[in-house]
Amino acid sequence: PPLAAPGALCEKLLALLPFKLTGAQQRTWREIAADLALPHPMQRLLQGDVGSGKTIVAALALLQAVENGWQGALMAPTEILAEQHWRKLSVWLAPLGIEVAWLAGSLRKAQKTAMLAALREGRAAIAVGTHALIEEAVDFARLGLAVVDEQQRFCVRQRLALRHKGGGGGGG
C-alpha cells in the first residue's frame, strides 16, 4: 500500500535539526514524499554535490516509511560511507526513539546476530550497511523503502536483491 503523507516524526526531526532545509531540499523532499504516497514503487535518482543535503532528504524518506509501519534500508558501497550514514542517522533519529541497525562485513558474530534479530523482529526501523544488507541471512520484518547511495557502484542484481527483501512492500 502507498505511504501516507509525512507525519509527526518527520516534523519532529526537522525541528530537532541544527539547520533548516534549503529551498531545494524542501522541494525535493516534498516531491519524494508525494511519490511515496503513490500506489506504485518509486524509482528516483537524487543527484547533488557532497554536502548538498542528500542524506537528510533520504533520512526524511526513510522516516516517512517508518511512520507508516514499514522499515527502511540505506545501502552504501563502502563500509566507511555506510558507517558515516549510520552515525548520522543514529544521531538524528535516536531522540525520536528510532533504532537504526548497522550491518557490515566487519561486525563480530554476536553484533551481527543482534542486528539481524532486530531487523527480523521489526525492532530496528532502519538498517544501514554495505552489500551485507543483501546477504541471504538478512530478513526484514517489513521493508518498505530501500535507498541506495552511489547506486552506480552497485550492479543491477545487487540493487534488485535489496528491493526484493521488501516482499513487494510500499511506495519505495
Side-chain angles (χ1 to χ4, degrees), residues 9-74:
L9 287 177
C10 287
E11 293 302 320
K12 285 180 184 175
L13 174 59
L14 290 169
L16 289 171
L17 293 173
F19 57 88
K20 298 289 181 210
L21 296 186
T22 66
Q25 290 166 339
Q26 290 175 21
R27 184 175 57 257
T28 302
W29 162 232
R30 281 193 303 269
E31 289 174 10
I32 290 172
D35 280 356
L36 287 171
L38 295 174
H40 53 79
M42 171 181 59
Q43 296 275 342
R44 178 178 283 270
L45 177 65
L46 179 59
Q47 291 181 289
D49 293 333
V50 171
S52 64
K54 298 179 299 290
T55 304
I56 188 58
V57 172
L60 287 163
L62 291 164
L63 197 51
Q64 183 177 350
V66 171
E67 287 180 315
N68 282 270
W70 296 93
Q71 290 169 298
L74 193 160

Side-chain angles (χ1 to χ4, degrees), residues 132-155:
L133 288 172
I134 60 174
E135 290 176 359
E136 193 173 319
V138 179
D139 187 26
F140 289 85
R142 233 173 113 79
L143 182 63
L145 178 65
V147 176
V148 180
D149 191 9
E150 295 192 24
Q151 62 88 27
Q152 76 281 3
R153 305 260 310 262
F154 292 98
C155 70

